[in-house]
Amino acid sequence: MIMPRAAGAAPAARFFPPPMTSSATPFIEPGRVWPDDRGRPIQAHGGAVIRHGDAWWWFGEDRSRDNPADCRCVACYRSTDLVNWTFRGQVLRLTDPENFGEEWILERPKVFPCAATGKCVMYFHLDGRLPGNASRYSLARVGVAVADQLDGDYRYARSFRPLGQESRDLGQFIDDDGQAYLIFESRPTKGFFITRLSADRLDVAEQVAFIAAPIEGGAIVRHDGLYYCIGSHLSGWWPNANKYLTAPRLEGPWSEPVDFAPPESATYGSQSTNLLKITGTKQTTVIYLGDRWNPYDLSDRRYVWHPLEIGGGRLQLKPRGWLPGPWRPDVQTGEVTYA
Ligand code: GAL
């Protein structure tokens, strides 16, 4: 979906900090290179973090420069504090699985462990050029890969169009009751779908809602009995003013999309990918997980993670200063400390 910048999408250049590397730090530093336990920048873009066992697991696109040219990679990291991440490997290293052509694309991987089967199911946006089509994003499918344990190795299973619809950006939601949902953006229908996964999590079982808003990078969290959904406008790698909507039930009715950050900040130069809830002993904290893409160098991309103000149907990304600065969560209590 390489598209011209959407009308109204704010130029966000001033929110891009100069390239710099940060040394090991006890804080999450939005927009900075984030080193893993090897000192290498974390490569987990368009991803999501899930809680499993006694740890947090982060899966995302690995666009390292030294990846083989014909290989699309998904990396996995593990953490017990959400600040320090241990690289667990490239859990998927896939070459063109179905003769889609050398331009084929793998984006936005999401992993769903399944307690009933003991398998872990990875979904990703699988794309490429349909013969004769001008767009490199015309296949518009979902890919599925399965592993016996969270950190791999994932084996390619198949691809399909969920509900028979074109599907691009994928989002993940696991509700408090353990039900798993896949969110996908569908260009021809000008909106996005929330679908329930089957009990074995290997398939899309049914449509839960269709939201008639052209929004991608969709993510959902449930907080105090209300569902909050975030997503971005369709402006390719360029950031825009991301929106949120609320609903009392996943089925809806969903409210109209509104801003959750100053629109001129273009969501502080980032695009939504996931919402992470920490239910601590003292408070519940919901964290916005965004990607700061570098359209000129896709291997050099950053993350904008920041706690949200949430409650009573309101969602706000409000940094303490002009820009989201260093902070860290206490995963036991749910409290947040700002540097
Ligand atoms: C964005 C999308 C990304 C990627 C990009 C390509 O809109 O969120 O995942 O597909 O377009 O231009």
Side-chain angles (χ1 to χ4, degrees):
M1 286 162 289
I2 300 190
M3 304 183 65
R5 187 135 104 205
R14 71 195 165 97
F15 291 97
F16 284 85
M20 58 200 303
T21 47
S22 78
S23 53
T25 153
F27 291 99
I28 292 172
E29 299 189 60
R32 296 277 183 95
V33 166
W34 194 344
D36 65 11
D37 60 312
R38 306 164 302 167
R40 290 189 57 164
I42 293 176
Q43 285 276 348
H45 317 283
V49 172
I50 55 171
R51 178 85 199 253
H52 190 74
D54 57 353
W56 308 84
W57 301 79
W58 183 1
F59 297 88
E61 299 162 31
D62 183 332
R63 304 256 187 173
S64 301
R65 287 197 190 119
D66 49 8
N67 287 343
D70 62 346
C71 202
R72 311 289 178 260
C73 301
V74 176
C76 169
Y77 299 83
R78 178 184 182 275
S79 176
T80 50
D81 61 7
L82 293 171
V83 180
N84 298 286
W85 292 89
T86 303
F87 179 66
R88 303 290 292 198
Q90 288 185 329
V91 293
L92 181 69
R93 285 167 65 88
L94 193 62
T95 51
D96 185 355
E98 294 183 51
N99 291 320
F100 292 128
E102 60 184 26
E103 293 176 297
W104 78 281
I105 289 162
L106 186 162
E107 289 176 352
R108 297 190 177 269
K110 305 286 178 298
V111 169
F112 297 86
C114 180
T117 62
K119 303 278 183 201
C120 298
V121 187
M122 180 190 292
Y123 286 84
F124 47 87
H125 170 196
L126 197 158
D127 225 315
R129 199 186 298 276
L130 279 176
N133 198 296
S135 169
R136 219 191 136 180
Y137 283 88
S138 43
L139 272 172
R141 295 172 79 77
V142 166
V144 185
V146 183
D148 294 328
Q149 52 191 45
L150 257 189
D151 51 3
D153 288 327
Y154 287 81
R155 294 171 306 279
Y156 183 77
R158 68 189 178 109
S159 73
F160 67 107
R161 279 188 169 176
L163 312 174
Q165 302 287 350
E166 289 192 18
S167 163
R168 293 189 175 84
D169 278 11
L170 286 191
Q172 164 177 42
F173 175 53
I174 301 175
D175 206 343
D176 296 344
D177 62 4
Q179 277 283 352
Y181 299 87
L182 194 72
I183 306 160
F184 68 91
E185 185 264 325
S186 180
R187 209 58 58 99
T189 54
K190 296 192 171 50
F192 64 100
F193 290 87
I194 302 171
T195 61
R196 186 178 288 112
L197 295 183
S198 56
D200 60 11
R201 302 195 167 178
L202 286 166
D203 206 354
V204 166
E206 59 174 347
Q207 175 177 330
V208 174
F210 171 73
I211 301 176
I215 277 178
E216 62 181 5
I220 296 176
V221 72
R222 180 186 196 165
H223 185 269
D224 267 352
L226 205 58
Y227 291 92
Y228 295 75
C229 175
I230 61 167
S232 80
H233 295 288
L234 316 176
S235 58
W237 302 120
W238 296 99
N240 57 58
N242 290 195
K243 304 285 184 197
Y244 81 96
L245 317 85
T246 60
R249 301 162 65 234
L250 272 183
E251 290 79 359
W254 285 91
S255 61
E256 287 300 311
V258 289
D259 293 322
F260 61 85
E264 66 279 9
S265 79
T267 327
Y268 298 98
S270 72
Q271 183 189 21
S272 56
T273 187
N274 193 215
L275 289 169
L276 179 62
K277 182 162 77 172
I278 306 174
T279 309
T281 51
K282 293 200 177 149
Q283 70 181 57
T284 297
T285 293
V286 175
I287 306 170
Y288 164 80
L289 271 52
D291 291 290
R292 180 173 288 166
W293 311 110
N294 178 349
Y296 304 108
D297 179 358
L298 292 180
S299 68
D300 172 26
R301 305 188 290 182
R302 316 287 172 89
Y303 313 96
V304 175
W305 286 20
H306 201 272
L308 290 161
E309 289 180 14
I310 187 168
R314 236 176 129 256
L315 188 77
Q316 293 288 301
L317 200 174
K318 258 198 200 159
R320 294 295 177 276
W322 285 103
L323 297 169
W327 66 280
R328 80 165 166 249
D330 180 323
V331 293
Q332 304 307 326
T333 65
E335 293 166 309
V336 167
T337 308
Y338 294 90

